[in-house]
Amino acid sequence: MSCLLLRLIRRQGSVGASVGVRSLTSVPSLPPSVADFVKGAVDECKPSSVHVVAGTPEETANILAGLERDGMVKKLLKYDNCWLARTDPKDVARVESKTVIVTKNKRDTIPIPAGGAKSQLGNWMSESDWQRARQERFPGCMTGRTMYVIPFSMGPVGSALTKYGVQVTDSPYVVASMGIMTRMGTPVLNKLAEGVEFVRCQHSVGRPLPLKAPLVNSWPCNPEKVLITHLPDTRQILSFGSGYGGNSLLGKKCFALRIASRIAKDEGWLAEHMLILGITNPQGVKRYVAAAFPSACGKTNLAMMKPALPGWKVECVGDDIAWMKFDSQGKLRAINPENGFFGVAPGTSDKTNPYAMATISRNTMFTNVGETSDGGFWWEGLDPPPAGTAVTDWHGKTWKPGSATPCAHPNSRFCAPAAQCPIIDPQWESEEGVPIDAIIFGGRRPEGVPLVYESFSWQHGVFVGAAMRSEATAAAEHKGKVIMHDPFAMRPFFGYNFGDYLTHWLSMQKRKAPTHLPKIFHVNWFRKDPATGSFLWPGFGENARVLEWIFKRCGREREDEAARKSIIGWVPEGGAIDTKGLGTKVDMGALFDVPKPFWQNEAKELRAFFTQQVGADLPVQVEAELRALEERVHQ
């Protein structure tokens, strides 16, 4: 039997060395440090049983069968091994307001905002408040439930860039999803037995049995008590009350960005909210690019792009997170620490992302999408369901085209294995990582920001990343289309003080070892015609035309090659973007217009943001870049 179901005996004893167990089969001993962690979690949360996850296909099938039995998921019969979960409507997104970093000193976590304003760059909690919050939530929270122990790896097992974690959770949905999103189970346990460090992750849905109130959609959660806490000094994550992926799959944003960004600072590398793609030109020359976009800016679409330019090829290394470290030759190398895609479903279609559609056709967990009567999925952006096909919305209610409410929740998700992507890069699991030639920042900016520009230098590029702004998205609880500051697309994910983060990025150009810094660019696919409100650029596969210019700039011999200097950076010179074969007429003049009044206002907004939100922690180099922009826009 591959499932290790362990019954706890409430006495001092050992799972490995720490928790007494009686098992249905022989129990492999847990490494002592893992056993200590599990014992502490068991003593606090009081589960009725413990299951050490082995990660085998048989075990996964058993977990899914249990979820189906409990009404948490149902099988989508149209596809091979695809499942649909509907959450409690109060548990549908990351909850930034309840996501905190716990450190001794507040300034280790966030810059202190001017004039008593609230920080937009993270939430700090004191150690004493955290202890009190923990005491109000975790004791006895798993009563009547099974605690699953998930040993997992962020990155290929054995890579020098890889980090390890152990998550305990009372959610089998989390186990099924972590099996897709991470490398999980016995191979990782074997690595932990060698004594490697690991991040301790504790998660509970916060609904001990017997229930005191009925569940909504058979989905256990405790929305009033949600709290996602990170302790970077001790490499711990504790998440309570939410079953939604961004709050409960602790290898994802919690570990791979918030905790990893702090580990990266301590160890001299970068953990970033970036896709990684390989692009090959018709001559067979290949480059790798990392790109940071906030949610709903086409990150997954770019990572899996089908280029509209003949002879060009894009391959996907990852669509969300990049861990990057300089090798001995001074080249920045990146791995995708994840093993799957956790993508926003609405808007994904054969038109926008055919490769994603192929990826999610099997072995996929869908959450809060619509369901068709023939056992399929449906969401906004897909072709209308065939006549005679009934549709059920994410609430489980009958839905018809033209209904006042959306069929799928705007932040509904697919969770699919990366290896299924038809254009997964051959090097996506390379232990040394792939060499990065360019870093791209981008956002959803309806006006003023050109289609693409290149920074003047690494220092200026760090400023460009710090100055990123974008329309807010459905991935968090913000409402409405407001332009928000989202530096490096990391605003909700910084694991430490943003000023120190900028200093860390700037330090890359001062490395003592040989260093080949990537070039830094900014793109904006979302500029609109002010007269009609329609997008000026067709986007999707046509974005290959922009990547072609970036590709050429990476191999340039002169600074002004195929480019002209503007007040914000190097923009393509006339004709440098290949427009042959564009199906629609594109106003390139409007796309590349850099209006001074807009940028005067932008500089003013940035000055206000940096002054209020970063204050004394703003590095002098970034202040100098802002001053230089202010001078250029007023010349």
Side-chain angles (χ1 to χ4, degrees):
M1 181 171 180
S2 63
C3 297
L4 301 172
L5 186 60
L6 317 178
R7 186 157 308 164
L8 296 177
I9 298 169
R10 303 269 174 222
R11 62 167 174 77
Q12 193 70 17
S14 74
V15 174
S18 300
V19 181
V21 298
R22 185 168 66 243
S23 99
L24 301 181
T25 73
S26 61
V27 181
S29 62
L30 292 174
S33 54
V34 178
D36 284 347
F37 167 56
V38 172
K39 181 191 184 307
V42 165
D43 288 349
E44 181 174 36
C45 303
K46 304 285 191 284
S48 62
S49 57
V50 176
H51 175 117
V52 179
V53 174
T56 63
E58 298 84 2
E59 179 188 62
T60 303
N62 287 342
I63 296 275
L64 288 164
L67 283 165
E68 188 172 33
R69 202 166 48 244
D70 292 344
M72 278 185 76
V73 303
K74 69 182 293 190
K75 200 157 194 183
L76 291 173
L77 296 170
K78 196 169 175 180
Y79 320 103
D80 177 22
N81 194 33
C82 286
W83 303 81
L84 170 64
R86 291 194 185 101
T87 73
D88 183 316
K90 291 181 177 171
D91 191 23
V92 294
R94 281 184 293 103
V95 189
E96 287 176 20
S97 55
K98 305 287 180 64
T99 302
V100 302
I101 311 275
V102 181
T103 50
K104 196 180 287 295
N105 300 310
K106 187 173 186 176
R107 201 167 166 186
D108 289 341
T109 294
I110 48 173
I112 309 305
K118 183 176 174 352
S119 174
Q120 297 172 25
L121 295 165
N123 298 310
W124 175 77
M125 183 179 270
S126 71
E127 290 176 337
S128 57
D129 284 352
W130 176 72
Q131 289 292 0
R132 199 161 39 249
R134 179 178 190 167
Q135 205 51 40
E136 288 168 2
R137 289 167 173 80
F138 280 99
C141 65
M142 296 187 186
T143 301
R145 296 189 182 275
T146 297
M147 175 190 281
Y148 297 91
V149 180
I150 308 171
F152 66 95
S153 169
M154 301 302 293
V157 177
S159 165
L161 289 111
T162 290
K163 299 291 176 188
Y164 301 92
V166 176
Q167 176 166 347
V168 296
T169 179
D170 53 6
S171 167
Y173 168 87
V174 166
V175 181
S177 302
M178 285 286 282
I180 295 170
M181 292 307 300
T182 69
R183 294 139 179 108
M184 177 183 90
T186 305
V188 182
L189 209 50
N190 295 339
K191 195 75 190 164
L192 292 167
E194 296 173 14
V196 295
E197 291 179 3
F198 65 96
V199 173
R200 289 153 174 79
C201 308
Q202 183 170 313
H203 167 257
S204 174
V205 293
R207 294 298 295 269
L209 298 174
L211 292 168
K212 291 185 176 151
L215 299 178
V216 179
N217 284 339
S218 304
W219 182 265
C221 62
N222 189 341
E224 285 70 39
K225 286 277 190 184
V226 167
L227 188 65
I228 300 100
T229 60
H230 307 72
L231 286 76
D233 291 333
T234 50
R235 317 299 199 222
Q236 285 175 277
I237 303 160
L238 289 94
S239 173
F240 185 91
S242 171
Y244 167 75
N247 305 320
S248 66
L249 309 181
L250 300 186
K252 198 154 180 56
K253 308 295 196 196
C254 297
F255 180 165
L257 290 177
R258 295 189 193 99
I259 294 293
S261 65
R262 169 62 192 277
I263 296 173
K265 171 183 173 272
D266 293 347
E267 296 180 355
W269 50 280
L270 299 166
E272 299 299 328
H273 188 206
M274 293 181 178
L275 66 89
I276 310 165
L277 64 82
I279 179 163
T280 308
N281 72 6
Q283 290 71 46
V285 179
K286 185 169 192 174
R287 296 188 186 280
Y288 287 95
V289 171
F293 300 106
S295 295
C297 289
K299 210 148 143 249
T300 302
N301 290 344
L302 183 62
M304 300 185 199
M305 189 211 298
K306 192 173 188 177
L309 279 179
W312 285 80
K313 181 166 76 170
V314 164
E315 289 164 302
C316 176
V317 176
D319 77 327
D320 195 37
I321 294 169
W323 287 359
M324 301 184 286
K325 196 175 190 175
F326 287 98
D327 65 15
S328 58
Q329 308 302 304
K331 191 74 184 173
L332 191 62
R333 288 191 169 266
I335 62 163
N336 166 18
E338 299 191 294
N339 196 46
F341 303 122
F342 185 67
V344 175
T348 305
S349 68
D350 284 323
K351 176 179 177 286
T352 62
N353 195 335
Y355 296 129
M357 294 300 290
T359 304
I360 63 178
S361 63
R362 63 191 198 281
N363 304 319
T364 297
M365 176 73 76
F366 296 91
T367 304
N368 289 339
V369 302
E371 178 192 6
T372 59
S373 54
D374 60 351
F377 53 71
W378 198 84
W379 51 72
E380 281 65 24
L382 292 176
D383 289 336
T389 306
V391 180
T392 306
D393 72 8
W394 71 279
H395 292 287
K397 295 178 178 157
T398 302
W399 184 90
K400 288 188 167 59
S403 292
T405 55
C407 176
H409 186 275
N411 193 42
S412 56
R413 297 280 171 159
F414 55 78
C415 180
Q420 291 180 182
C421 178
I423 56 157
I424 199 75
D425 193 272
Q427 294 298 307
W428 87 281
E429 293 194 284
S430 159
E431 288 191 4
E432 62 270 16
V434 297
I436 299 297
D437 283 323
I439 291 170
I440 302 174
F441 296 119
R444 186 176 275 267
R445 299 302 303 270
E447 58 176 317
V449 180
L451 181 62
V452 61
Y453 63 96
E454 183 187 343
S455 70
F456 294 128
S457 64
W458 178 262
Q459 179 174 301
H460 179 236
V462 172
F463 169 76
V464 169
M468 277 173 64
R469 300 174 73 212
S470 189
E471 276 185 351
T473 82
E477 77 268 40
H478 304 290
K479 302 284 189 289
K481 296 204 167 179
V482 350
I483 303 282
M484 290 178 65
H485 291 273
D486 196 349
F488 290 76
M490 281 283 283
R491 184 193 53 75
F493 309 122
F494 292 118
Y496 62 99
N497 183 306
F498 173 55
D500 295 340
Y501 170 93
L502 290 174
T503 299
H504 182 56
W505 265 78
L506 290 163
S507 74
M508 299 300 155
Q509 64 185 347
K510 298 275 195 306
R511 291 175 80 247
K512 291 189 174 70
T515 304
H516 304 286
L517 292 169
K519 305 219 171 352
I520 297 178
F521 299 83
H522 188 284
V523 300
N524 174 31
W525 320 129
F526 301 99
R527 195 165 183 175
K528 290 182 175 177
D529 181 332
T532 64
S534 56
F535 290 116
L536 285 168
W537 179 249
F540 305 114
E542 304 297 356
N543 292 338
R545 300 169 187 277
V546 175
L547 290 187
E548 179 191 30
W549 183 75
I550 289 171
F551 188 102
K552 285 179 175 167
R553 289 288 291 171
C554 287
R556 68 170 188 253
E557 289 172 7
R558 291 187 337 272
E559 215 178 16
D560 62 352
E561 206 170 295
R564 61 180 174 82
K565 210 168 195 172
S566 77
I567 53 173
I568 58 170
W570 293 99
V571 296
E573 66 185 5
I577 300 280
D578 182 357
T579 56
K580 276 200 306 289
L582 263 179
T584 49
K585 183 156 172 48
V586 173
D587 185 342
M588 298 302 278
L591 265 175
F592 285 102
D593 182 35
V594 182
K596 271 194 176 174
F598 172 89
W599 281 94
Q600 285 164 3
N601 187 61
E602 191 77 359
K604 200 164 130 194
E605 293 271 358
L606 289 168
R607 170 66 65 189
F609 175 71
F610 288 148
T611 301
Q612 187 201 62
Q613 289 292 322
V614 196
D617 291 323
L618 189 73
V620 291
Q621 301 97 315
V622 177
E623 161 67 29
E625 290 296 341
L626 175 57
R627 224 172 27 248
L629 174 66
E630 288 168 333
E631 285 166 13
R632 291 193 300 269
V633 298
H634 285 102
Q635 273 168 5

